[in-house]
Structures are given as C-alpha cells and as structure tokens.
Amino acid sequence: MRGRVNLKCRYHKAQSPLQQQQRRQPNTDRARRLHPASITCVSNFSGRDWDDNARYSVRSEGWRGRVPLSVPDARLAPECLAPCHDHSVRGLWRMMLLVALLSPALSGGLKILQVVLPGDEVLQFSPNGNNERIILGPGLRWHENNICATRSGLLKKASKNFYYVDSHQKRYIPHEKEFVIGIILRKKGDNYLIDIGGNEPGTISCLAFENSSKKSRKEMKPGDLIFGQLLVANRDMEPELVCIDVFNKTVSMESLPDDGIMFTVPLHVARMIVNPENIYLMSIAKKINYTVIVGFNGRVWLKTEKQRDMVAIMNCIMMLEFMSLEEAEKNVFRLLDSFLVPVQH
Amino acid sequence: MKEVPLSTCEKTSIVSAIRAGQRYDNREFLEVRDISLNFGKDYGSCTVTLGQTRVLAQVTGEVVEPRPSRPNEGKISISVHLSPMAAPHFESGRSNDLVDELQQILERNIKESRCLDLESLCVLAEESVWQLRVDVTVLNHAGNLGDACNLASVAALRHFHRPDVTVEEDGRVTIHTLEEREPIPTFMKKVPVCLTYAFFVVDDKCYMLMDPSEKEERVSNYFYELVKLWIKVKFGFMRFGWLLRQTLVPPTCLPS
C-alpha cells in the first residue's frame, strides 16, 4: 500500500506587481534541480549591520508541485539539514552575511559538525586577495579577523563554502518570504490580525486572497488558521502576510479547515521535514495517507481520515526534536504501531 | 508577551480525540505522566518533574519572634514565582491569576490542613520560633502546575532539616551549625496529596482526564482538584479555574 504525501509548502515569490515587471520569470526547470554552487552573488548586504546577521535563519523554500518519490540529485553535503534549494541568483536567499576571502591553507581548518558555543572561535583568517571564498550563514560572525559563533549548536555546511550554526530554537523570528501558519486574532479595519509566533502579530489584508475584491471578501473568524507567505518582515515593522502569489493566484495558500490537528515543533524540526532530501515524511506515508502543511514558524498542520492516525503522525514528527534522523527512521514504525493499537475505554 | 491564542482547529481536534478515546501523548484517561523528584545538596531543595512540567521548591528557615496571638507556634510562609522561563506569557513581578491560584492551593494544602506540627518549631515560647519559608519556582509550564507545586513543596518540606538549637538558662539561643550537631527533620503528621482532573463535556457525555497537559487544560470545560491527606482519611475539595454554573460531577466520577 503506497501512501501519498501531499506537501503543501510551495515556492512562490511574494512581490508587488511592480517588482515583478522588473524581474524576469523564474526558470521552472532549473527550479527542480539544486545548484548551490551557482550561487556566488551574495549581494544585498551591507557589511555594517552585524546584528542582523545573527537573526537570519536558514530556510528552505519548499517545492513546486508534489514531493517526488525519488529525491533528485542534491549535490549538497550529506550532513546538510536545511538546504536552500533555490536557484535564481539574486534576492531569494536570506542568509547572506559576508563574503570573506580566505587563503587556501586555512579553508581546511573549519571542522564540520563540531559543537560550538557562543563566543567560540571557529576560524582565524585575514583577508588575502585569493580565490577562495567562504560564506557565513546564521550563527557565525566575522569580527576582527576571527570567525566566531554567536549561537550554540552544531557547525554545519550547506554547500561548498557555506557554513552556519544549526541550533535548537523554538521562538520564531519572522523573515520575508517564509511560509507560516498563523492564527487569526481579530479583524482590524480592512485587515486581519494574525499571530505567527513572533513578538508582534502580523496583518493580512482582506484582499490578499484569491478571488476577493471589495465586494466579495473572504470572511474568517478569530481562531481560524491561515497559511500564507510573509511579504514584509523586518524588525522595524509589523509583519505582513499574503495568501496569493505574484500572479494573484492562490496555490495551496489558504485558510485551513478546522478538522485537522495543529501542533508546534521547534524550528529546526520544521526545516528538517521540509528538506526534500529527507524522506521521513514519505516513510510515514507508506503506512498512512495524510496531508501535511509545514509553517516555518514551527507550526505544523495535519489531516488524515481517522482521528487516531493524526495523533500518531503528530507524535512521530514531534519525536524528531531530540532524535537524529537515522534514529527516528528506525523507530517511526514502532511508534506508529503503538498509537494505532486501539485502547479500551 | 501575550499568550499564544488557541485556534479552533486545536480545540476541536483535542475534543474529537478524546471522544475517540485518545490523548495526545497516548496516555490512558486516568494515567499520570512520569514523576521524578530530585533533591538538592542542601536540605530543603527539591525539583519535581511531572512529564515536561518542572517545578523547584526551596525551604529555608530562620528564627524570628512569634506572632503575639500564637506565641507557641512557628510560622510558615509560602510564595510561588512564575518565571518567564516557564512560558513566554509569564512575567515575573506582575501578579496574575495563576500565581494567586497556585498560592491559594498551596496555602490551603499546607497551612490550613495543619499537616506540619507548628508547635515543634517553637524554640522559646513568646520569644523565638522558627519561620519556614517555602519558595516555589515554576521552571517549565506544561500543564498541571497545581499538582507539581504541591508535590514539590511537600517534598521539600519533608526533606528540610532545621539546625539544632540550644537554649541557655539566661535565655540566649544558640543555633548550631550543621557540622556541630545533627539537624532535626521536620515532622509532617499528614501528607497532602493533590490530584487534578480536567473534565470535557462532549455530546452529553462527560469525560474525566487525570493530569491534564497544557493544551488539555486550556480546552477543558471544568477543572477539579482533589486534595487527599494521606494517613488520615479526610479529604477536601476545591474547585477553581473555569467555574461552574451547574454542578456536573456525579458521585461515581470521584475516586473513593
């Protein structure tokens, strides 16, 4: 019995129509393959905002279409947990901090998968006019010829030169273009106030849904769930969500029906299960058919036909918090069976 | 920070899971989560872990003057602190309903039940008595704080040993250090045990869940807390929280 996973976090650019005219259309064929090495341009970052560095998190932008049953050739380091499989060069990466020039002798000094604590010196370098570059992701910072860790966690490598610190984090910090699941708090004028797990509630306009105009609006009550993309999210403004993409179409971004189950996982688990290299969700799908929507704020929504299955899969996903993937894969069927045994009451 | 709102989806899913006979962590309805008690190096320090809920209680004592109305009795004071470490919506320093409720539970369980023999805490009548101070800090809130706080404070009180005291003839009181003389344990005549139940009313049926987790607490209709004083067959009732316009609980629901 083959199950299907209907993974609903899809990739879309949330841009205003003006910006859309200025950019060319994304190449959908390239979108299916992962080419991290092609990303060399790391613009849009001015070196002076050091504090911003620590706030960006590594995200993966989701699939276009169904999750294929055969994972495509990733060309990423195997220990990578959250690849950014996004392919057009500019503007779609959020992690960029610094391009530093390294002398070749020092590039071997960074050890992967070492545990770092805040303040640990990871590497010493001084910029030389050489070819090697190193790209620092979230959790790493360059200060006075030292690369230091700013978070505690594992030092990981996402591509040839891209390093970051993967930490256990539950508190969500909103970023642009991330897909999140929000809970509607109340209606405020023409907008809805939504709780996305950050320090401020976000807003979504009533018109930011497909087929909604001033005359026919989408009506939602407080307590409803919504899956949308963050259009604006920086520390000086309150976050703003949309449920349509640049072509004004809803593609699986909508208000979620009430009869599913929603739970919160730490952020690294949400990134882990969305990772296309990761077949955890698909191994659960071998036993049960289900639909899952993963928000990057750690909220996951599930639906199956039977109530009992939902609780089982929820526990399987929450198990990933403290287990590595290999351990989780070994234990997942045992856990599912233990939940599916009917209990007498 | 404000508390994260509960979505309609979560509420309906918990209730329908209960109707189907299942709890989120696959417990029985009357099953309690794993409890572990860790005592510290100092006397009177105890950390209780009830599932994911974690509470720390610390008992300290000092010699003070007694209350004029009760010159032979020692004093106990209990205070509960909800640290922001426990949940994002807790703010330290600001009193909120939950703190008041927990303090009320603990005071009723320990003080009003007279489980501790306060007269044994007297050093010199009308002049000096021991004042025990119980400080309870909630380290992590994952449901059922009442039980955990009660367990922690009772365990800390039973773990606490007070230093030995000698009274000279001229009325001077010498408190010996722990190295000089063996400290004296506190004696509890009765041990208050607190059990919390959450009730869900679904389709004219009432389901009773023991040791509710955080989500179950928030979704439940009614909340009951039963305090049983061990050894002596006497138990008291308290209802608090989301209260009741109609008394719903049939006598068969209650454990004997």
Short mmCIF file of all heavy atoms in Angstrom, two decimals, chain A residues 288-345:
data_model
loop_
_atom_site.label_atom_id
_atom_site.label_comp_id
_atom_site.label_asym_id
_atom_site.label_seq_id
_atom_site.Cartn_x
_atom_site.Cartn_y
_atom_site.Cartn_z
N ILE A 288 0.27 5.42 6.17
CA ILE A 288 -0.97 6.19 6.29
C ILE A 288 -0.97 7.28 5.23
O ILE A 288 0.06 7.93 5.01
CB ILE A 288 -1.02 6.90 7.66
CG1 ILE A 288 -0.76 5.91 8.79
CG2 ILE A 288 -2.33 7.59 7.87
CD1 ILE A 288 -0.64 6.58 10.12
N ASN A 289 -2.11 7.51 4.63
CA ASN A 289 -2.24 8.66 3.73
C ASN A 289 -2.52 9.89 4.55
O ASN A 289 -3.42 9.88 5.39
CB ASN A 289 -3.42 8.46 2.79
CG ASN A 289 -3.11 7.46 1.73
OD1 ASN A 289 -1.95 7.19 1.45
ND2 ASN A 289 -4.14 6.91 1.13
N TYR A 290 -1.80 10.96 4.29
CA TYR A 290 -2.09 12.16 5.07
C TYR A 290 -1.70 13.40 4.30
O TYR A 290 -1.00 13.34 3.31
CB TYR A 290 -1.36 12.13 6.42
CG TYR A 290 0.14 12.18 6.35
CD1 TYR A 290 0.84 13.33 6.66
CD2 TYR A 290 0.88 11.06 6.01
CE1 TYR A 290 2.21 13.37 6.61
CE2 TYR A 290 2.24 11.09 5.96
CZ TYR A 290 2.91 12.25 6.27
OH TYR A 290 4.26 12.27 6.22
N THR A 291 -2.17 14.52 4.78
CA THR A 291 -1.82 15.82 4.21
C THR A 291 -1.14 16.61 5.31
O THR A 291 -1.64 16.66 6.43
CB THR A 291 -3.09 16.56 3.79
OG1 THR A 291 -3.81 15.75 2.90
CG2 THR A 291 -2.75 17.86 3.11
N VAL A 292 -0.04 17.22 4.97
CA VAL A 292 0.67 17.99 5.98
C VAL A 292 1.03 19.35 5.42
O VAL A 292 1.34 19.49 4.25
CB VAL A 292 1.93 17.23 6.45
CG1 VAL A 292 2.95 17.10 5.34
CG2 VAL A 292 2.57 17.90 7.63
N ILE A 293 0.90 20.35 6.25
CA ILE A 293 1.34 21.70 5.87
C ILE A 293 2.31 22.16 6.94
O ILE A 293 1.98 22.13 8.13
CB ILE A 293 0.13 22.65 5.79
CG1 ILE A 293 -0.81 22.18 4.71
CG2 ILE A 293 0.59 24.06 5.50
CD1 ILE A 293 -1.95 23.10 4.47
N VAL A 294 3.48 22.56 6.52
CA VAL A 294 4.51 22.93 7.49
C VAL A 294 4.77 24.43 7.41
O VAL A 294 5.07 24.95 6.34
CB VAL A 294 5.82 22.18 7.18
CG1 VAL A 294 6.89 22.58 8.16
CG2 VAL A 294 5.58 20.70 7.23
N GLY A 295 4.63 25.09 8.52
CA GLY A 295 4.96 26.51 8.54
C GLY A 295 6.34 26.70 9.13
O GLY A 295 6.77 25.94 10.00
N PHE A 296 7.04 27.71 8.66
CA PHE A 296 8.38 27.92 9.17
C PHE A 296 8.43 28.53 10.55
O PHE A 296 9.51 28.65 11.12
CB PHE A 296 9.20 28.78 8.20
CG PHE A 296 9.72 27.98 7.09
CD1 PHE A 296 8.99 27.80 5.94
CD2 PHE A 296 10.94 27.35 7.20
CE1 PHE A 296 9.46 27.02 4.92
CE2 PHE A 296 11.42 26.57 6.18
CZ PHE A 296 10.68 26.41 5.04
N ASN A 297 7.27 28.89 11.07
CA ASN A 297 7.28 29.32 12.46
C ASN A 297 7.11 28.14 13.40
O ASN A 297 6.79 28.32 14.56
CB ASN A 297 6.19 30.36 12.70
CG ASN A 297 4.85 29.92 12.18
OD1 ASN A 297 4.74 28.90 11.50
ND2 ASN A 297 3.83 30.69 12.47
N GLY A 298 7.31 26.96 12.89
CA GLY A 298 7.27 25.79 13.75
C GLY A 298 5.91 25.15 13.86
O GLY A 298 5.75 24.16 14.55
N ARG A 299 4.91 25.71 13.20
CA ARG A 299 3.57 25.13 13.32
C ARG A 299 3.31 24.19 12.16
O ARG A 299 3.60 24.50 11.02
CB ARG A 299 2.52 26.24 13.31
CG ARG A 299 2.66 27.10 14.52
CD ARG A 299 1.55 28.07 14.64
NE ARG A 299 1.82 28.97 15.74
CZ ARG A 299 1.28 30.16 15.86
NH1 ARG A 299 0.44 30.57 14.96
NH2 ARG A 299 1.58 30.91 16.89
N VAL A 300 2.75 23.06 12.51
CA VAL A 300 2.50 22.01 11.51
C VAL A 300 1.04 21.63 11.59
O VAL A 300 0.50 21.45 12.67
CB VAL A 300 3.39 20.78 11.79
CG1 VAL A 300 3.16 19.70 10.77
CG2 VAL A 300 4.84 21.18 11.80
N TRP A 301 0.42 21.53 10.43
CA TRP A 301 -1.00 21.14 10.38
C TRP A 301 -1.10 19.83 9.64
O TRP A 301 -0.49 19.64 8.60
CB TRP A 301 -1.77 22.23 9.65
CG TRP A 301 -3.23 21.99 9.55
CD1 TRP A 301 -4.18 22.32 10.46
CD2 TRP A 301 -3.93 21.38 8.47
NE1 TRP A 301 -5.42 21.97 10.02
CE2 TRP A 301 -5.29 21.38 8.80
CE3 TRP A 301 -3.54 20.82 7.26
CZ2 TRP A 301 -6.26 20.85 7.98
CZ3 TRP A 301 -4.49 20.29 6.43
CH2 TRP A 301 -5.84 20.30 6.79
N LEU A 302 -1.91 18.93 10.19
CA LEU A 302 -2.01 17.58 9.64
C LEU A 302 -3.44 17.22 9.43
O LEU A 302 -4.30 17.61 10.21
CB LEU A 302 -1.55 16.60 10.71
CG LEU A 302 -0.17 16.08 10.79
CD1 LEU A 302 -0.16 15.05 11.88
CD2 LEU A 302 0.23 15.42 9.51
N LYS A 303 -3.69 16.38 8.46
CA LYS A 303 -5.04 15.84 8.37
C LYS A 303 -5.00 14.43 7.82
O LYS A 303 -4.31 14.16 6.84
CB LYS A 303 -5.88 16.72 7.45
CG LYS A 303 -7.27 16.24 7.43
CD LYS A 303 -8.20 17.24 6.86
CE LYS A 303 -9.50 16.46 6.73
NZ LYS A 303 -10.56 17.11 6.19
N THR A 304 -5.74 13.56 8.43
CA THR A 304 -5.92 12.21 7.89
C THR A 304 -7.39 11.89 7.98
O THR A 304 -8.19 12.69 8.44
CB THR A 304 -5.16 11.15 8.69
OG1 THR A 304 -5.66 11.16 10.02
CG2 THR A 304 -3.69 11.43 8.73
N GLU A 305 -7.72 10.70 7.53
CA GLU A 305 -9.13 10.36 7.61
C GLU A 305 -9.54 10.02 9.03
O GLU A 305 -10.63 10.36 9.47
CB GLU A 305 -9.43 9.16 6.72
CG GLU A 305 -9.51 9.52 5.25
CD GLU A 305 -8.93 8.42 4.42
OE1 GLU A 305 -9.14 7.26 4.78
OE2 GLU A 305 -8.24 8.72 3.43
N LYS A 306 -8.69 9.31 9.72
CA LYS A 306 -9.08 8.88 11.06
C LYS A 306 -8.40 9.74 12.12
O LYS A 306 -7.27 10.18 11.97
CB LYS A 306 -8.65 7.43 11.29
CG LYS A 306 -9.40 6.44 10.45
CD LYS A 306 -9.12 5.04 10.97
CE LYS A 306 -8.74 4.18 9.79
NZ LYS A 306 -8.09 2.95 10.17
N GLN A 307 -9.10 9.92 13.19
CA GLN A 307 -8.58 10.73 14.29
C GLN A 307 -7.32 10.13 14.88
O GLN A 307 -6.35 10.80 15.19
CB GLN A 307 -9.66 10.82 15.37
CG GLN A 307 -9.28 11.70 16.50
CD GLN A 307 -9.15 13.13 16.08
OE1 GLN A 307 -9.97 13.65 15.33
NE2 GLN A 307 -8.10 13.76 16.50
N ARG A 308 -7.34 8.83 15.01
CA ARG A 308 -6.24 8.14 15.69
C ARG A 308 -4.93 8.29 14.93
O ARG A 308 -3.85 8.45 15.50
CB ARG A 308 -6.62 6.67 15.80
CG ARG A 308 -5.71 5.82 16.58
CD ARG A 308 -6.43 4.53 16.90
NE ARG A 308 -7.46 4.71 17.87
CZ ARG A 308 -7.27 4.82 19.17
NH1 ARG A 308 -6.06 4.72 19.65
NH2 ARG A 308 -8.26 5.00 19.99
N ASP A 309 -5.05 8.28 13.58
CA ASP A 309 -3.82 8.41 12.78
C ASP A 309 -3.18 9.75 12.96
O ASP A 309 -1.95 9.88 12.92
CB ASP A 309 -4.15 8.23 11.29
CG ASP A 309 -4.67 6.84 11.00
OD1 ASP A 309 -4.50 5.96 11.86
OD2 ASP A 309 -5.22 6.64 9.91
N MET A 310 -4.01 10.78 13.13
CA MET A 310 -3.45 12.13 13.22
C MET A 310 -2.57 12.25 14.44
O MET A 310 -1.48 12.82 14.39
CB MET A 310 -4.57 13.16 13.33
CG MET A 310 -5.31 13.36 12.04
SD MET A 310 -6.11 14.96 11.99
CE MET A 310 -7.68 14.54 12.63
N VAL A 311 -3.04 11.72 15.55
CA VAL A 311 -2.26 11.82 16.78
C VAL A 311 -0.97 11.01 16.63
O VAL A 311 0.09 11.40 17.12
CB VAL A 311 -3.09 11.31 17.97
CG1 VAL A 311 -2.30 11.32 19.23
CG2 VAL A 311 -4.31 12.17 18.13
N ALA A 312 -1.06 9.88 15.92
CA ALA A 312 0.13 9.05 15.73
C ALA A 312 1.19 9.79 14.93
O ALA A 312 2.37 9.84 15.30
CB ALA A 312 -0.26 7.75 15.02
N ILE A 313 0.77 10.40 13.83
CA ILE A 313 1.76 11.09 12.99
C ILE A 313 2.29 12.31 13.71
O ILE A 313 3.47 12.67 13.60
CB ILE A 313 1.14 11.50 11.65
CG1 ILE A 313 0.55 10.29 10.97
CG2 ILE A 313 2.19 12.12 10.76
CD1 ILE A 313 -0.11 10.62 9.68
N MET A 314 1.43 12.96 14.48
CA MET A 314 1.90 14.12 15.22
C MET A 314 3.03 13.74 16.16
O MET A 314 4.06 14.43 16.25
CB MET A 314 0.73 14.69 16.04
CG MET A 314 1.14 15.83 16.93
SD MET A 314 -0.21 16.47 17.87
CE MET A 314 -0.02 15.55 19.34
N ASN A 315 2.87 12.62 16.84
CA ASN A 315 3.93 12.19 17.74
C ASN A 315 5.18 11.79 17.00
O ASN A 315 6.30 11.98 17.48
CB ASN A 315 3.43 11.05 18.62
CG ASN A 315 2.64 11.56 19.78
OD1 ASN A 315 3.19 11.96 20.78
ND2 ASN A 315 1.34 11.60 19.64
N CYS A 316 5.02 11.23 15.81
CA CYS A 316 6.20 10.87 15.02
C CYS A 316 7.00 12.10 14.66
O CYS A 316 8.23 12.09 14.70
CB CYS A 316 5.79 10.18 13.72
SG CYS A 316 5.17 8.55 13.97
N ILE A 317 6.31 13.18 14.30
CA ILE A 317 7.04 14.37 13.90
C ILE A 317 7.63 15.05 15.13
O ILE A 317 8.76 15.57 15.10
CB ILE A 317 6.11 15.32 13.13
CG1 ILE A 317 5.70 14.66 11.83
CG2 ILE A 317 6.79 16.63 12.84
CD1 ILE A 317 4.80 15.49 10.98
N MET A 318 6.92 15.03 16.24
CA MET A 318 7.47 15.68 17.42
C MET A 318 8.65 14.91 17.99
O MET A 318 9.48 15.46 18.69
CB MET A 318 6.38 15.81 18.49
CG MET A 318 5.38 16.87 18.12
SD MET A 318 3.94 16.91 19.17
CE MET A 318 4.55 17.68 20.60
N MET A 319 8.74 13.64 17.63
CA MET A 319 9.85 12.82 18.09
C MET A 319 11.18 13.31 17.52
O MET A 319 12.24 13.07 18.07
CB MET A 319 9.58 11.40 17.58
CG MET A 319 10.42 10.34 18.15
SD MET A 319 9.78 8.74 17.71
CE MET A 319 10.30 8.60 16.03
N LEU A 320 11.12 14.01 16.38
CA LEU A 320 12.34 14.45 15.73
C LEU A 320 13.08 15.52 16.50
O LEU A 320 14.20 15.86 16.17
CB LEU A 320 12.02 15.04 14.36
CG LEU A 320 11.83 14.10 13.20
CD1 LEU A 320 11.55 14.90 11.97
CD2 LEU A 320 13.06 13.27 13.00
N GLU A 321 12.44 16.06 17.52
CA GLU A 321 13.07 17.16 18.23
C GLU A 321 14.39 16.74 18.85
O GLU A 321 15.37 17.44 18.81
CB GLU A 321 12.12 17.67 19.32
CG GLU A 321 12.70 18.80 20.12
CD GLU A 321 11.71 19.36 21.13
OE1 GLU A 321 10.53 18.98 21.08
OE2 GLU A 321 12.14 20.17 21.97
N PHE A 322 14.40 15.58 19.44
CA PHE A 322 15.62 15.17 20.14
C PHE A 322 16.29 13.97 19.51
O PHE A 322 17.27 13.47 20.03
CB PHE A 322 15.30 14.86 21.60
CG PHE A 322 14.85 16.07 22.34
CD1 PHE A 322 13.58 16.14 22.87
CD2 PHE A 322 15.69 17.15 22.48
CE1 PHE A 322 13.17 17.27 23.54
CE2 PHE A 322 15.29 18.28 23.15
CZ PHE A 322 14.02 18.34 23.68
N MET A 323 15.75 13.49 18.42
CA MET A 323 16.37 12.32 17.80
C MET A 323 17.00 12.74 16.50
O MET A 323 16.49 13.59 15.80
CB MET A 323 15.29 11.29 17.47
CG MET A 323 14.92 10.43 18.60
SD MET A 323 14.15 8.97 17.91
CE MET A 323 13.28 8.40 19.30
N SER A 324 18.06 12.07 16.15
CA SER A 324 18.61 12.33 14.82
C SER A 324 17.75 11.59 13.81
O SER A 324 16.96 10.73 14.15
CB SER A 324 20.05 11.87 14.74
OG SER A 324 20.07 10.46 14.74
N LEU A 325 17.94 11.93 12.57
CA LEU A 325 17.09 11.35 11.53
C LEU A 325 17.19 9.84 11.46
O LEU A 325 16.20 9.14 11.24
CB LEU A 325 17.47 11.93 10.18
CG LEU A 325 16.73 13.20 9.84
CD1 LEU A 325 17.22 13.69 8.51
CD2 LEU A 325 15.26 12.94 9.78
N GLU A 326 18.38 9.34 11.64
CA GLU A 326 18.55 7.89 11.49
C GLU A 326 17.80 7.15 12.58
O GLU A 326 17.09 6.17 12.34
CB GLU A 326 20.03 7.50 11.55
CG GLU A 326 20.85 7.96 10.37
CD GLU A 326 21.30 9.40 10.52
OE1 GLU A 326 21.37 9.88 11.67
OE2 GLU A 326 21.55 10.02 9.50
N GLU A 327 17.95 7.67 13.80
CA GLU A 327 17.24 7.02 14.91
C GLU A 327 15.73 7.11 14.70
O GLU A 327 14.99 6.17 14.96
CB GLU A 327 17.56 7.71 16.23
CG GLU A 327 18.95 7.51 16.72
CD GLU A 327 19.24 8.43 17.91
OE1 GLU A 327 18.28 8.81 18.60
OE2 GLU A 327 20.41 8.77 18.09
N ALA A 328 15.29 8.27 14.24
CA ALA A 328 13.86 8.46 14.06
C ALA A 328 13.33 7.51 13.00
O ALA A 328 12.26 6.94 13.14
CB ALA A 328 13.57 9.90 13.68
N GLU A 329 14.08 7.34 11.94
CA GLU A 329 13.60 6.46 10.88
C GLU A 329 13.51 5.03 11.35
O GLU A 329 12.61 4.29 10.94
CB GLU A 329 14.51 6.56 9.66
CG GLU A 329 14.02 7.60 8.69
CD GLU A 329 15.08 7.98 7.70
OE1 GLU A 329 15.81 7.08 7.26
OE2 GLU A 329 15.18 9.17 7.38
N LYS A 330 14.40 4.66 12.22
CA LYS A 330 14.32 3.27 12.71
C LYS A 330 13.10 3.09 13.58
O LYS A 330 12.49 2.03 13.60
CB LYS A 330 15.56 2.95 13.54
CG LYS A 330 16.76 2.59 12.72
CD LYS A 330 17.92 2.22 13.62
CE LYS A 330 19.19 2.75 13.00
NZ LYS A 330 20.26 2.95 13.96
N ASN A 331 12.77 4.12 14.35
CA ASN A 331 11.72 3.95 15.35
C ASN A 331 10.34 4.35 14.88
O ASN A 331 9.38 4.18 15.60
CB ASN A 331 12.04 4.80 16.58
CG ASN A 331 13.21 4.21 17.34
OD1 ASN A 331 13.34 3.02 17.39
ND2 ASN A 331 14.04 5.06 17.89
N VAL A 332 10.24 4.89 13.69
CA VAL A 332 8.97 5.50 13.33
C VAL A 332 7.85 4.47 13.20
O VAL A 332 6.72 4.70 13.65
CB VAL A 332 9.12 6.35 12.05
CG1 VAL A 332 9.34 5.51 10.82
CG2 VAL A 332 7.94 7.23 11.84
N PHE A 333 8.18 3.31 12.67
CA PHE A 333 7.08 2.35 12.50
C PHE A 333 6.64 1.77 13.82
O PHE A 333 5.46 1.49 14.04
CB PHE A 333 7.49 1.23 11.54
CG PHE A 333 7.62 1.74 10.15
CD1 PHE A 333 8.82 1.64 9.47
CD2 PHE A 333 6.56 2.36 9.53
CE1 PHE A 333 8.94 2.13 8.20
CE2 PHE A 333 6.67 2.86 8.26
CZ PHE A 333 7.87 2.74 7.58
N ARG A 334 7.60 1.61 14.71
CA ARG A 334 7.24 1.10 16.02
C ARG A 334 6.34 2.07 16.74
O ARG A 334 5.35 1.70 17.38
CB ARG A 334 8.54 0.90 16.83
CG ARG A 334 8.44 -0.09 17.93
CD ARG A 334 9.82 -0.53 18.34
NE ARG A 334 10.72 0.57 18.57
CZ ARG A 334 10.94 1.13 19.75
NH1 ARG A 334 10.31 0.67 20.81
NH2 ARG A 334 11.78 2.12 19.87
N LEU A 335 6.63 3.35 16.60
CA LEU A 335 5.82 4.35 17.28
C LEU A 335 4.43 4.42 16.67
O LEU A 335 3.42 4.52 17.36
CB LEU A 335 6.50 5.72 17.16
CG LEU A 335 5.85 6.81 18.01
CD1 LEU A 335 6.14 6.55 19.45
CD2 LEU A 335 6.40 8.16 17.63
N LEU A 336 4.36 4.33 15.36
CA LEU A 336 3.06 4.37 14.71
C LEU A 336 2.20 3.20 15.16
O LEU A 336 1.01 3.34 15.42
CB LEU A 336 3.24 4.30 13.19
CG LEU A 336 3.54 5.61 12.48
CD1 LEU A 336 3.75 5.36 11.02
CD2 LEU A 336 2.42 6.60 12.68
N ASP A 337 2.81 2.04 15.25
CA ASP A 337 2.03 0.87 15.66
C ASP A 337 1.52 1.03 17.08
O ASP A 337 0.40 0.64 17.39
CB ASP A 337 2.89 -0.39 15.58
CG ASP A 337 3.10 -0.80 14.14
OD1 ASP A 337 2.24 -0.45 13.31
OD2 ASP A 337 4.10 -1.47 13.84
N SER A 338 2.33 1.60 17.92
CA SER A 338 1.89 1.72 19.31
C SER A 338 0.71 2.66 19.44
O SER A 338 -0.13 2.50 20.31
CB SER A 338 3.04 2.19 20.20
OG SER A 338 3.31 3.53 19.94
N PHE A 339 0.64 3.64 18.55
CA PHE A 339 -0.51 4.54 18.62
C PHE A 339 -1.74 3.96 17.97
O PHE A 339 -2.85 4.31 18.31
CB PHE A 339 -0.18 5.85 17.90
CG PHE A 339 0.44 6.84 18.81
CD1 PHE A 339 1.80 6.89 18.96
CD2 PHE A 339 -0.35 7.71 19.53
CE1 PHE A 339 2.37 7.81 19.80
CE2 PHE A 339 0.21 8.63 20.38
CZ PHE A 339 1.58 8.68 20.51
N LEU A 340 -1.52 3.11 16.99
CA LEU A 340 -2.66 2.66 16.23
C LEU A 340 -3.37 1.49 16.90
O LEU A 340 -4.42 1.08 16.46
CB LEU A 340 -2.23 2.26 14.82
CG LEU A 340 -1.70 3.44 14.02
CD1 LEU A 340 -1.17 3.00 12.69
CD2 LEU A 340 -2.80 4.46 13.83
N VAL A 341 -2.78 0.97 17.95
CA VAL A 341 -3.46 -0.10 18.67
C VAL A 341 -4.63 0.52 19.42
O VAL A 341 -4.45 1.46 20.16
CB VAL A 341 -2.49 -0.77 19.67
CG1 VAL A 341 -3.24 -1.67 20.62
CG2 VAL A 341 -1.43 -1.51 18.93
N PRO A 342 -5.82 0.03 19.22
CA PRO A 342 -6.96 0.67 19.87
C PRO A 342 -6.95 0.44 21.37
O PRO A 342 -6.58 -0.62 21.85
CB PRO A 342 -8.17 -0.01 19.22
CG PRO A 342 -7.65 -1.26 18.66
CD PRO A 342 -6.21 -1.08 18.37
N VAL A 343 -7.32 1.48 22.07
CA VAL A 343 -7.31 1.42 23.53
C VAL A 343 -8.73 1.21 24.02
O VAL A 343 -9.66 1.81 23.51
CB VAL A 343 -6.76 2.75 24.09
CG1 VAL A 343 -6.83 2.77 25.57
CG2 VAL A 343 -5.34 2.95 23.61
N GLN A 344 -8.90 0.36 24.99
CA GLN A 344 -10.24 0.08 25.50
C GLN A 344 -10.62 1.12 26.52
O GLN A 344 -9.85 1.45 27.39
CB GLN A 344 -10.26 -1.29 26.18
CG GLN A 344 -9.80 -2.41 25.30
CD GLN A 344 -10.66 -2.55 24.07
OE1 GLN A 344 -11.86 -2.33 24.13
NE2 GLN A 344 -10.05 -2.91 22.96
N HIS A 345 -11.82 1.63 26.40
CA HIS A 345 -12.28 2.59 27.42
C HIS A 345 -13.61 2.17 27.96
O HIS A 345 -14.57 2.12 27.26
CB HIS A 345 -12.39 3.99 26.81
CG HIS A 345 -11.09 4.71 26.93
ND1 HIS A 345 -10.59 5.09 28.15
CD2 HIS A 345 -10.18 5.08 26.02
CE1 HIS A 345 -9.43 5.68 27.96
NE2 HIS A 345 -9.15 5.71 26.68
#
